[in-house]
Amino acid sequence: MTGAAALRALHHGPGLPLVLPGPWDAGSAKAFADAGFPALATPSAGVAAALGYADGEVPPDEMFAAIGRIARAVDVPVTADVEDGYGLGARELVARLAEAGAVGCNLEDGDRTTGGLVDADRQTDRLAEVRAVAGDALVINARVDTYVRGAGGVAETVRRGRLYATAGADCVYPILAPPEELAELAAGIGLPLNALAVPDGPAPRELGALGAARVTFGPWQQRRAMAAIAAKARELRGGG
């Protein structure tokens, strides 16, 4: 079974979500894999922070290099958040993901230039191009930014999710969707749904019960790790 097939097979559906920790470097990736997680999902914001950049400002070469270090450190499938694809054509994007060792990716429909959303038909064409180039060798998680951008609720998210399904997406990620709307979104879109676990929000199992087939954490695990390091640094400084 290829890495993409193995990752795809882990999507069992709502009730038993695939929990994907978010490593930001090789060390954190190895820690998560050693703990027994069957797959990992790199967060663009967490990787950016680890590299010393703001979210969305990492040069593509550095991002793919970081993904490569993470993928090489573990023996489990790695899916990578590559934001909007960095303006790369489908063929180059798929090639660079494969070179880095990633078997899946997030592709978002938020427009970082305008602060709105990319036209849904244009994003559908983009996803279809990536699928045509990658074949079955890439698990595509189509991120829908309607809730992030304040550009529509359930109806628009379902409309976009259905379009992305026709383009060959394996799953849909309505980032920051209210937990109480997950079941309606999952039923309306008809693909495995990715939910974001946030601090003080529902736990992964709860998100699964609400309709999520997979759960990711964005940059929160990296931020918590750095907060723990900062606290230890203050303790050491105070004791010195």
Side-chain angles (χ1 to χ4, degrees):
M1 184 180 291
T2 66
L7 177 59
R8 204 172 276 116
L10 291 169
H11 293 74
H12 301 299
L16 187 62
L18 171 60
V19 179
L20 293 164
W24 53 93
D25 60 14
S28 58
K30 193 171 187 308
F32 288 132
D34 287 349
F37 287 97
L40 307 174
T42 71
S44 63
V47 173
L51 294 175
Y53 290 96
D55 185 24
E57 295 185 2
V58 181
D61 286 351
E62 292 197 42
M63 180 61 77
F64 284 109
I67 294 167
R69 289 190 292 272
I70 288 167
R72 287 193 300 273
V74 297
D75 293 323
V76 300
V78 172
T79 179
D81 181 354
V82 290
E83 304 174 62
D84 61 1
Y86 309 115
L88 301 175
R91 191 164 300 280
E92 184 177 359
L93 177 61
V94 170
R96 297 198 70 171
L97 284 165
E99 182 182 5
V103 299
C105 72
N106 289 1
L107 283 172
E108 65 192 51
D109 63 3
D111 188 326
R112 291 175 182 260
T113 301
T114 67
L117 295 174
V118 173
D119 177 78
D121 290 330
R122 194 173 90 192
Q123 183 70 358
T124 301
D125 290 343
R126 165 79 157 153
L127 293 170
E129 290 172 2
V130 172
R131 172 57 70 212
V133 172
D136 291 334
L138 190 69
V139 176
I140 299 174
N141 189 31
R143 192 177 113 172
V144 185
D145 280 13
T146 43
Y147 292 97
V148 174
R149 307 290 181 175
V154 170
E156 178 61 12
T157 304
V158 167
R159 183 182 81 86
R160 286 175 173 262
R162 285 178 173 171
L163 285 172
Y164 302 162
T166 68
D170 294 281
C171 38
V172 171
Y173 181 16
I175 185 170
L176 291 181
E180 62 272 16
E181 294 181 4
L182 292 176
E184 187 176 359
L185 290 170
I189 294 170
L191 286 180
L193 205 71
N194 189 142
L196 177 69
V198 298
D200 301 320
R205 283 187 177 273
E206 295 176 89
L207 291 170
L210 290 168
R214 61 187 255 172
V215 176
T216 51
F217 299 86
W220 299 113
Q221 291 168 319
Q222 187 270 342
R223 290 175 183 174
R224 282 180 168 173
M226 293 309 300
I229 290 173
K232 186 63 178 177
R234 289 192 295 271
E235 177 187 330
L236 291 171
R237 178 63 177 169

